[in-house]
Amino acid sequence: LNLEYGDLYRSLFTRAERHIAVVEALVQKSKGLSRKELLTAAGLTDGGSATTTLDELEQSGFIRRYFPFGKTKRDALFQLIDPYSLFYLTFVKDSKAEGKGAWLAQMNSPRWRAWSGYAFEYICRYHIDPIKKHLGISGIYTEVSTWRSQRGENGAQIDLLIDRNDRIINICEMKFSVKPFTIAKDYADNLRNKISVFREETGTNKTLFLTMITTFGLKANNHSAQLVNDSVGMEALFL
């Protein structure tokens, strides 16, 4: 894996250092960057060559361009979606870990938990159709997006919205856990605030359904009973 990363990009792209700079800028911001933010972070000058670099990465499946809820093409964000690049830049590049057990030793570390959560979100986004099937809305036209509050860097954000043509929006929370996920009081309060701020800032009058997408299901308690409309386990993604 140590050598394959550079070889991969050089085999696909002319002036691959530009493409690598974009990818390594995006890995620092899991939710994505605007074009201006991305080019600044990657040290690239805005112009035709930058557009070509971004287009090539997008068309090759390394990055994606997406539009937050209620925004236009001018507000597009770019996000790293290539699993290998994410894994390499998180665990292999500049790593001092060697020998047997090096990978297992990192499990449950903060870095491993962050990577696991991001990787699970990536899997969910690429399995929207099975999620819709599980929710019983396969035949309904939908638009998939994200949303971030305008109340500063630490404001509420929603990483997956399914905006349905039947005047319902599924607010999806994607949670990686090695056991059934439990909604604790603090997290329940956070969810209530997130839903309230979303309705207030967007002005939507659609019905909002909270949907939990988890690896091993949702543990039932008072918070889940009061808040959650739908629960989707990881097994539903691969049916």
Side-chain angles (χ1 to χ4, degrees):
L1 291 178
N2 280 304
L3 300 177
E4 291 176 3
Y5 175 74
D7 291 344
L8 171 64
Y9 285 92
R10 284 189 290 271
S11 69
L12 292 173
F13 307 116
T14 304
R15 300 183 67 187
E17 67 278 0
R18 298 171 60 87
H19 302 74
I20 291 173
V22 168
V23 167
E24 295 188 357
L26 286 175
V27 80
Q28 304 299 324
K29 193 74 171 180
S30 63
K31 307 308 178 187
L33 295 169
S34 68
R35 178 188 172 100
K36 181 179 179 180
E37 292 170 334
L38 176 54
L39 296 183
T40 298
L44 301 180
T45 302
D46 200 354
S49 60
T51 298
T52 298
T53 298
L54 296 178
D55 287 346
E56 288 177 344
L57 284 168
E58 184 177 7
Q59 292 163 10
S60 302
F62 287 94
I63 68 174
R64 73 168 182 139
R65 185 192 322 240
Y66 71 95
F67 310 105
F69 182 83
K71 301 296 184 179
T72 66
K73 289 184 177 181
R74 295 180 60 184
D75 303 301
L77 296 177
F78 294 86
Q79 183 182 46
L80 175 63
I81 60 171
D82 177 55
Y84 168 67
S85 297
L86 174 62
F87 180 85
Y88 174 86
L89 293 171
T90 304
F91 292 108
V92 180
K93 184 181 180 182
D94 301 326
S95 174
K96 297 179 181 179
E98 295 181 357
K100 292 183 178 180
W103 164 245
L104 292 177
Q106 298 186 66
M107 292 184 68
N108 291 322
S109 67
R111 183 170 58 168
W112 180 86
R113 288 194 293 270
W115 169 78
S116 298
Y118 184 21
F120 183 62
E121 289 179 10
Y122 161 82
I123 291 171
C124 293
R125 291 192 191 97
Y126 269 78
H127 290 82
I128 296 298
D129 286 344
I131 291 172
K132 288 181 60 177
K133 181 179 179 180
H134 183 85
L135 295 174
I137 59 172
S138 294
I140 299 175
Y141 174 76
T142 60
E143 293 183 355
V144 176
S145 62
T146 65
W147 172 82
R148 179 178 296 176
S149 170
Q150 300 302 306
R151 298 178 180 178
E153 182 69 21
N154 296 319
Q157 63 182 39
I158 299 170
D159 296 324
L160 180 61
L161 285 168
I162 303 178
D163 188 3
R164 298 158 45 173
N165 207 34
D166 58 356
R167 301 196 57 76
I168 294 173
I169 298 175
N170 288 85
I171 294 178
C172 300
E173 287 283 300
M174 300 169 284
K175 291 296 178 182
F176 175 87
S177 176
V178 296
K179 58 185 179 181
F181 185 78
T182 300
I183 298 179
K185 182 182 183 304
D186 288 350
Y187 182 51
D189 291 341
N190 176 275
L191 290 172
R192 290 188 179 92
N193 176 69
K194 183 180 296 189
I195 294 170
S196 175
V197 172
F198 174 75
R199 185 179 292 283
E200 177 186 341
E201 290 194 17
T202 63
T204 184
N205 58 6
K206 292 187 175 183
T207 300
L208 304 180
F209 281 179
L210 177 62
T211 302
M212 297 297 301
I213 307 175
T214 58
T215 42
F216 295 105
L218 184 66
K219 185 175 181 179
N221 62 14
N222 288 336
H223 300 304
S224 65
Q226 294 170 12
L227 285 167
V228 180
N229 297 95
D230 300 289
S231 177
V232 181
M234 180 171 58
E235 70 282 355
L237 304 182
F238 305 101
L239 295 178

